[in-house]
Amino acid sequence: MGMPSLPVFGDGNLHIDEPFPDAAHRELGNTQMRANLRHATHTIRDKRLKVVGELPDWEELRDAGAATKNHVMANLPALLEEFEKNFTARGGVIHWARDSHEANKIVAQLIKEQETDEVVKVKSMATQEIGLNEYLEEQGISALETDLAELIVQLGHDKPSHILVPAIHKNRTEVRDIFLAEMPNVDPNLTDEPRLLAMAAREHLRRKFLAAKVAISGANFALADSGTLAVVESEGNGRMCLTLPETLITVMGIEKLLPGKEDLEVFMQLLPRSSTGERMNPYTSLWTGVTEGDGPQNVHLVMLDNGRTAALADKYGRTALNCIRCSACMNVCPVYERTGGHAYGSTYPGPIGAILTPLLTGIKSEENSSLPYASSLCGACYDACPVKINIPEILVHLRGEDVDSKRGKKKLPTQMDLMMKGAGWAFSSGKNLALLEKGLPLGKLAAGRDKKIKRLPGIAAGWTQSRDIPAPPSQSFRDWWKKEHQSPAKTEQEK
Amino acid sequence: MSAKEEILSRITSALRDAPTPEPVPREYRRTSDMPEAELIELLVDRIEDYKAHVDVVDSAQLAATIAERLKDATSFVVPHGINEDWLVEAAPANDARRRVDAPGAILSIPELDSTDAVLTSSAVSIAESGTIVLDGTPDQGRRAISLVPDHHVCVVPVSTIVRLLPEALPRMDITRPLTWISGPSATSDIELERVEGVHGPRQLDVIVVKGL
Ligand code: SF4
C-alpha cells in the first residue's frame, strides 16, 4: 500500500454555514425552543439515571464497550474484510463509498434499477450526513421519512436538532400544527395529545409501507464474524422498512462494526438505556444477507468513509469514532440545552458533534473550527457516555489543533495562544492560580451597577456576545473553600 | 484503485502508529442463578411495564388462554409450524377465522393487513429487560406475519426464559432473521414521553407457559 497518504476529509451535511457563536446567539433568542429542550432533556435524564442505576455492572459494561470499540478501530481492515465475506456469502451485495457524493450516486442508481420514484426510509444518521434525501430529490426520487420525529421535521421543512429525537425542539402543539398544515386527509379536529398525533402518523404512512418497493436504512451494528446487520428502533417503522419491500439498501459508516455476536450483549445493554432511557427499545431487527422467503430478497449495503479514515488518523481524536449515537451526551450538556441542535449546524450536534464534525471535515475547515469551543468542559458528557469517549479531552486537543493551524496562517501568536498560555500558567500551579485570583476584585470594577460584565475585550468578547457574565465574586471559590473547610481548631489558632 | 482498495489503504495509513488496545474486559454479569418463580416474576414485571398484557398459565390451560386472547379477533394468522394442540379451543383446523402462512402458500401483504391478529411462539426471552426474541422458525413464521396484524399474541415457554442478555445470545442463531420485541410499538418522539402503539402491533399479549 506504499506511502502513507494524507487524510481525506468528509463532506455533506457536516459544514456549518455560520460560526457556532453566531448561530448560538440567534438560537438563544428562541425561548419556546429552549423551554421545549429543557423539558425534554430533563425528562430523559431522569429516565436514563433510573434504568442505568438498576444495573449493578454498568461501569463494567462501559469498560467492555469502550475496549471493544478500541479493538475494532485498531483492527478495522481485517474486520471489514471478514464482514464483507460473510455478508456476501449470504446473498448481500456490498458497495464502498469514499465520500458522500459517491454514496448518494450508488443509492440513486440502485433505486432506479427498481424502477420506482418513491422510497421509504428508516431514520439513519449516515444518510442525513451525506444529504441523501436532497440528492434523491434532485434525481426525481422522493424519500419518505417514516420515523415520527423525522416525519415531523420533513413535513415542517425543518432541520433535525437532535440525533435521537430530531424534532426535540418542537412541542406537542407545534407538532399538531405541522400535521394540520401538511398532512393530507388529516382529521381537522386533531388535538395535541401525543397518542393521537402518533395515530395520525400511523394513518399517514401505513399505505406507503404496505406498497413500498424499496427501503433505505442505516445500521446500528454490523457483526463481522457472521455478516449480520442490526437496526434498533421503537415504532415499528424500522421493521416495516426492513421486512416488507423487496429491496433494502443500507448505508453505514465503516466504524459501526463489532467483532461478533457476544459484543451485542454489551452494546444492547448500553445503547437503549443510554438513549431513550429504556431497559430495551421496543424493536431490534437483525438480518444476515438474504433469507429465502423472509424479507427483502435484494439486499445492499453501502460502506461509507466520508472522513472517518481521517478521524481515525488523529490518534488523540479517533475514539470519537467509538460513538454509538445514543445521544446521552447532548441530553446532559448544559450548552446543548440552551442553544439546541441547530446551532451546531452539522448532522451531529451536541458534545459529540463538537468533536466528530471537525474530525470528519478537518479542523481547517473554516467555520467548523469554532465547534470545539462549544463547550464549558464540564465533563458531564464523558460521565454519561456509554463507551467512555473522553469528549472534553478531545475538545481541548482540537482547540490546540485549531490554534496551531491559525498560528500557521498568521505567523503571530493569536489571542487564543496567549490565553491558552495564560491558562497553562495559571493552572500549572496552585500558587499561580491564587495569584491570579487576587485580581478578582478588579473584575468588580469592570462590572456595572447591575453586577454584570457586558463586554469583555478581544477574543474573550465571544463569551459576552450571547450572555452577560455575572461579575466575579470578590472572593474566589478557592478562597471560599479554604475558609469554609478550615478545621475549627485551626480557626481558633488564627483568631 | 477501487473505492474499497482506497478506503482500506486510507485505514492502513491512519493506523500507522499501530495502536494496541487493551484486551476487552468482560467483568460484567454473564451468568446468573435465579429460581424459576423469580425469573417469571421479573419477566412479567418488565413486560407489564411496557403496557403489554401477560398471562402466566400451566401448559394444560394454554389452549383456553389462547382462545380467550383471540376471542375478539375476526381473523388471525398462524405460522405453519404452530402446535395444533394450542389451537384446539381457539380455532380447530377447519375454522374460518384462522389463516395459515406457509412457505409456498404465503399470505399477501393486503391479506395480512386485513387480518386482526397473529399467534406465534418465541425463541428466547430475557427477563431483566422484558425482551422476547422471535427467530423465524416454523412456530414463529416469517417476520411480516408478526408485524402487519395489529394484535400479537405471543407464547413464551418458561424453559426459554433467561435472566440476562449475555445468557440469551448463545441461544440465538444470529444468522436467522431475528426480531427482539420489548412491548408493543411505541414512540418517545414527542417531548420524549413514551406513547404506546405506532406502526407495529399496538396490542401485545404475552402468555408465559409453565411446564413447556
Ligand atoms: S459520544 Fe457517547 S454519549 Fe455521545 S452520542 Fe456518542 S456514544 Fe452517546
Side-chain angles (χ1 to χ4, degrees):
Chain A
M1 297 207 169
M3 285 209 346
S5 48
L6 283 175
V8 184
F9 294 108
D11 53 14
N13 285 333
L14 290 171
H15 291 270
I16 65 181
D17 320 321
E18 60 183 326
F20 180 81
D22 298 351
H25 184 70
R26 177 168 34 74
E27 297 294 331
L28 280 170
N30 188 341
T31 46
Q32 179 64 63
M33 180 203 74
R34 242 157 70 202
N36 298 348
L37 271 180
R38 207 186 133 70
H39 170 69
T41 54
H42 283 256
T43 309
I44 196 77
R45 274 182 216 180
D46 297 345
K47 277 167 73 180
R48 189 187 78 87
L49 282 178
K50 187 174 152 269
V51 296
V52 163
E54 272 176 15
L55 294 189
D57 51 354
W58 182 251
E59 289 307 317
E60 286 78 8
L61 287 166
R62 286 178 82 209
D63 288 337
T68 303
K69 281 293 192 173
N70 289 339
H71 168 80
V72 167
M73 298 316 151
N75 296 284
L76 202 49
L79 289 168
L80 285 166
E81 295 275 17
E82 188 187 0
F83 178 85
E84 179 175 39
K85 188 180 87 201
N86 288 318
F87 187 76
T88 309
R90 305 270 313 195
V93 183
I94 296 216
H95 312 259
W96 298 76
R98 280 165 275 225
D99 52 33
S100 55
H101 186 64
E102 194 167 18
N104 287 334
K105 260 175 55 186
I106 293 168
V107 175
Q109 182 57 35
L110 289 170
I111 296 169
K112 284 177 187 162
E113 281 167 18
Q114 297 310 311
E115 296 174 354
T116 182
D117 57 7
E118 187 173 83
V119 298
V120 286
K121 268 190 82 196
V122 50
K123 185 176 169 332
S124 130
M125 297 312 298
T127 60
Q128 179 72 39
E129 171 190 323
I130 62 176
L132 180 65
N133 292 7
E134 296 88 325
Y135 181 83
L136 292 180
E137 203 179 312
E138 284 167 22
Q139 303 289 311
I141 300 165
S142 63
L144 192 67
E145 291 292 352
T146 64
D147 173 76
L148 178 54
E150 293 278 5
L151 180 70
I152 295 167
V153 168
Q154 194 173 45
L155 288 175
H157 312 286
D158 196 357
K159 279 187 178 172
S161 70
H162 188 275
I163 62 172
L164 175 74
V165 201
I168 195 170
H169 56 291
K170 297 281 185 212
N171 66 23
R172 58 186 74 190
T173 314
E174 292 168 300
V175 172
R176 185 210 45 201
D177 294 345
I178 291 171
F179 281 12
L180 286 178
E182 301 285 339
M183 231 180 222
N185 309 324
V186 73
D187 173 5
N189 298 318
L190 185 67
T191 70
D192 65 2
E193 195 191 320
R195 233 200 103 64
L196 298 176
L197 294 171
M199 285 312 97
R202 179 184 165 102
E203 280 307 305
H204 175 68
L205 289 173
R206 189 133 182 113
R207 295 293 124 210
K208 303 280 186 188
F209 281 133
L210 301 185
K213 288 167 77 176
V214 177
I216 295 172
S217 85
N220 293 90
F221 305 108
L223 308 181
D225 72 356
S226 57
T228 304
L229 292 171
V231 162
V232 173
E233 52 124 1
S234 297
E235 296 166 16
N237 60 316
R239 291 177 72 191
M240 289 281 180
C241 290
L242 301 171
T243 308
L244 299 183
E246 265 303 290
T247 298
L248 172 61
I249 306 164
T250 302
V251 181
M252 180 185 85
I254 51 173
E255 81 285 16
K256 292 280 165 214
L257 285 189
L258 293 177
K261 121 174 147 168
E262 69 279 2
D263 300 304
L264 275 186
E265 74 191 25
V266 175
F267 287 92
M268 285 307 296
Q269 294 192 72
L270 290 174
L271 179 57
R273 288 178 203 254
S274 300
S275 58
T276 46
E278 291 167 303
R279 297 185 179 106
M280 193 65 91
N281 50 293
Y283 299 135
T284 298
S285 297
L286 296 114
W287 72 101
T288 308
V290 174
T291 303
E292 203 194 322
D294 190 343
Q297 299 296 299
N298 183 20
V299 173
H300 296 264
L301 173 66
V302 181
M303 293 268 211
L304 179 70
D305 178 355
N306 203 36
R308 284 159 177 77
T309 50
L312 189 67
D314 183 332
K315 69 175 174 183
Y316 302 106
R318 64 167 61 119
T319 52
L321 292 174
N322 296 0
C323 173
I324 56 173
R325 312 282 189 262
C326 72
S327 79
C329 58
M330 52 205 78
N331 295 334
V332 299
C333 178
V335 176
Y336 178 90
E337 185 189 323
R338 286 167 183 82
T339 64
H342 290 151
Y344 296 80
S346 146
T347 296
Y348 304 105
I352 182 61
I355 57 173
L356 189 61
T357 303
L359 280 165
L360 293 174
T361 63
I363 193 74
K364 288 188 186 136
S365 158
E366 252 327 300
E367 310 300 8
N368 285 355
S369 66
S370 65
L371 285 173
Y373 299 96
S375 164
S376 64
L377 301 181
C378 74
C381 49
Y382 179 35
D383 295 338
C385 179
V387 287
K388 298 180 84 163
I389 301 172
N390 194 331
I391 297 175
E393 199 176 279
I394 301 178
L395 282 165
V396 171
H397 157 66
L398 291 173
R399 290 178 189 186
E401 296 267 286
D402 175 46
V403 171
D404 285 348
S405 95
K406 294 217 165 74
R407 187 194 295 119
K409 270 186 223 151
K410 291 181 188 159
K411 300 275 192 297
L412 279 173
T414 62
Q415 286 186 54
M416 183 55 78
D417 273 350
L418 296 176
M419 252 171 66
M420 284 292 186
K421 244 206 192 116
W425 173 80
F427 289 109
S428 64
S429 103
K431 262 207 194 109
N432 291 355
L433 190 58
L435 208 64
L436 201 66
E437 283 164 0
K438 294 239 154 57
L440 278 180
L442 285 180
K444 286 232 138 308
L445 293 178
R449 257 172 204 272
D450 55 359
K451 301 227 169 96
K452 294 220 167 99
I453 297 178
K454 298 247 159 116
R455 285 240 161 260
L456 285 174
I459 192 170
W463 184 252
T464 45
Q465 228 166 54
S466 310
R467 54 175 97 55
D468 299 334
I469 58 171
S474 36
Q475 188 183 30
S476 76
F477 176 77
R478 284 156 45 93
D479 281 346
W480 172 84
W481 180 267
K482 240 203 261 149
K483 288 229 172 70
E484 290 298 303
H485 290 80
Q486 273 159 355
S487 64
K490 201 169 167 200
T491 316
E492 276 310 313
Q493 269 178 24
E494 276 176 357
K495 273 181 190 166
Chain B
M1 244 199 292
S2 73
K4 176 185 171 184
E5 283 162 357
E6 191 166 336
I7 292 170
L8 288 178
S9 133
R10 289 176 184 177
I11 298 172
T12 309
S13 184
L15 293 172
R16 61 179 173 267
D17 62 321
T20 39
E22 38 153 346
V24 176
R26 297 196 188 271
E27 304 293 319
Y28 54 86
R29 295 168 302 154
R30 303 190 80 189
T31 54
S32 70
D33 179 17
M34 194 179 238
E36 184 179 292
E38 283 174 42
L39 261 188
I40 296 173
E41 198 184 328
L42 185 60
L43 180 72
V44 171
D45 175 74
R46 297 297 149 94
I47 296 180
E48 284 178 342
D49 198 39
Y50 297 132
K51 311 272 171 12
H53 180 275
V54 190
D55 291 296
V56 180
V57 301
D58 288 320
S59 53
Q61 301 161 277
L62 178 57
T65 311
I66 289 174
E68 174 65 22
R69 291 291 144 240
L70 288 172
K71 72 174 189 300
D72 295 328
T74 54
S75 58
F76 61 88
V77 191
V78 290
H80 68 285
I82 200 87
N83 187 336
E84 278 297 330
D85 294 345
W86 295 3
L87 288 168
V88 288
E89 294 195 36
N94 53 5
D95 189 291
R97 290 204 302 155
R98 69 185 255 182
R99 299 175 177 177
V100 181
D101 187 84
I106 61 164
L107 299 169
S108 67
I109 293 175
E111 280 172 313
L112 287 175
D113 190 36
S114 67
T115 306
D116 285 351
V118 55
L119 170 71
T120 71
S121 186
S122 57
V124 55
S125 291
I126 301 127
E128 199 170 75
S129 62
T131 304
I132 301 168
V133 178
L134 304 191
D135 71 359
T137 41
D139 60 0
Q140 296 152 52
R142 62 195 177 101
R143 285 173 289 171
I145 67 164
S146 50
L147 171 63
V148 179
D150 204 12
H151 176 195
H152 183 187
V153 179
C154 187
V155 174
V156 173
V158 162
S159 61
T160 64
I161 305 174
V162 295
R163 178 177 181 184
L164 307 172
L165 181 60
E167 295 172 307
L169 276 154
R171 296 185 179 215
M172 295 180 212
D173 177 351
I174 203 76
T175 59
R176 300 193 65 86
L178 299 178
T179 307
W180 300 11
I181 296 175
S182 306
S185 75
T187 181
S188 305
D189 279 354
I190 299 168
E191 298 180 13
L192 280 172
E193 276 173 28
R194 186 174 157 121
V195 179
E196 278 77 19
V198 199
H199 305 294
R202 284 179 286 189
Q203 188 181 349
L204 174 66
D205 289 339
V206 178
I207 308 176
V208 176
V209 194
K210 294 194 247 184
L212 209 63

